[in-house]
Amino acid sequence: MSKKIYLYGNWKMNMTAAETRKFFDEFAGCYEPFKNDSGLEVGVFSPFTSLWALAEGAKKCGVVFGAQNVYYEAKGAFTGEVSIPMLKEIGVDHVIIGHSERRHIFGESDELIAKKVKALLDAGITPVFCYGETLEERESGNTFKVMERQIKSAIAGLTPEEVAKIIYAYEPVWAIGTGKSATSEQAQEVCEWSRKLIGDPKVVILYGGSVKGSNAKELLSMKDIDGALVGGASLKPGSFLEIYSEFKK
Ligand code: PEP
């Protein structure tokens, strides 16, 4: 039996509400051949301001949708933050947490990320938890040490059932938005190691970092890679879905 592929698109700080509507006008047609393919789960993650438009388009097409961040408190004096109940009102059931841009540009700590993961699980929302090493960490031989800290911090104190509900995304920072993907062997090595560290052979682990049609087959065919978290190539329906078409060839 062939494995199920998760194809998740992280739009980052791109796509206004109007652009989101336009994306789904085109996506609906491109997605038609894949609609009934139970081997594929598509998800799209937009900025907060486009979430209502995203919800409308994603529901029509039957794809998963979500936000790229959230705060762990339900309400209160947290200027500029968005809470889980606010996302639930829109119907969001997946949220990206701990993306390297949140960690490295906005200084999010392992502790803060862990609180967000727990709050999402408590609310019945799936965290798409990102982790990965910088180039400096890789070159200094600290790849596994850094990721062990990131993963252990996120799952500390969770029940095995909660750990199983998280979707994990290995995203080497040096491969994000650079056009330079990890090799399939590098990505497989980390995903296999992660699965053992997490301690549940069935967890979903995605690879992210310059995934596109031309490298999709090699990466997604690896045993421990269940799918891709895609940035740049997810902004156009054609290049986004091409990743799955190439994998299936
Ligand atoms: C990402 O934003 O998570 C990502 C992997 O980006 P890109 O595909 O553009 O490298």
Side-chain angles (χ1 to χ4, degrees), residues 96 115 136 149:
I96 295 174
K115 283 183 182 166
E136 202 187 345
R149 194 201 68 226

Side-chain angles (χ1 to χ4, degrees), residues 104-165:
H104 298 292
I105 302 175
F106 300 101
E108 289 199 10
S109 65
D110 289 326
E111 292 71 27
L112 177 63
I113 291 163
K115 283 183 182 166
K116 293 181 178 191
V117 167
K118 177 66 177 144
L120 286 169
L121 290 167
D122 287 346
I125 295 181
T126 302
V128 181
F129 165 73
C130 303
Y131 63 97
E133 81 288 5
T134 63
L135 186 59
E136 202 187 345
E137 288 160 349
R138 176 164 279 265
E139 286 177 345
S140 60
N142 286 317
T143 299
F144 293 97
K145 195 171 131 205
V146 168
M147 291 190 300
E148 184 167 344
R149 194 201 68 226
Q150 292 173 338
I151 295 172
K152 278 190 171 169
S153 159
I155 65 175
L158 301 182
T159 64
E161 293 73 26
E162 288 175 322
V163 168
K165 281 182 187 148

Side-chain angles (χ1 to χ4, degrees), residues 46-63:
S46 79
F48 291 127
T49 49
S50 303
L51 279 173
W52 282 106
L54 174 65
E56 202 183 302
K59 279 180 193 162
K60 263 188 211 152
C61 295
V63 303

Side-chain angles (χ1 to χ4, degrees), residues 24-52:
F24 276 98
D25 286 346
E26 194 187 329
F27 181 84
C30 297
Y31 187 54
E32 205 49 46
F34 307 105
K35 220 172 174 162
N36 299 316
D37 185 338
S38 59
L40 172 66
E41 177 173 304
V42 172
V44 180
F45 297 78
S46 79
F48 291 127
T49 49
S50 303
L51 279 173
W52 282 106

Side-chain angles (χ1 to χ4, degrees), residues 66-88:
Q68 302 166 9
N69 187 23
V70 76
Y71 196 57
Y72 62 86
E73 295 284 2
K75 61 178 177 179
F78 304 103
T79 301
E81 293 297 314
V82 169
S83 73
I84 292 172
M86 291 168 185
L87 295 184
K88 282 201 111 168

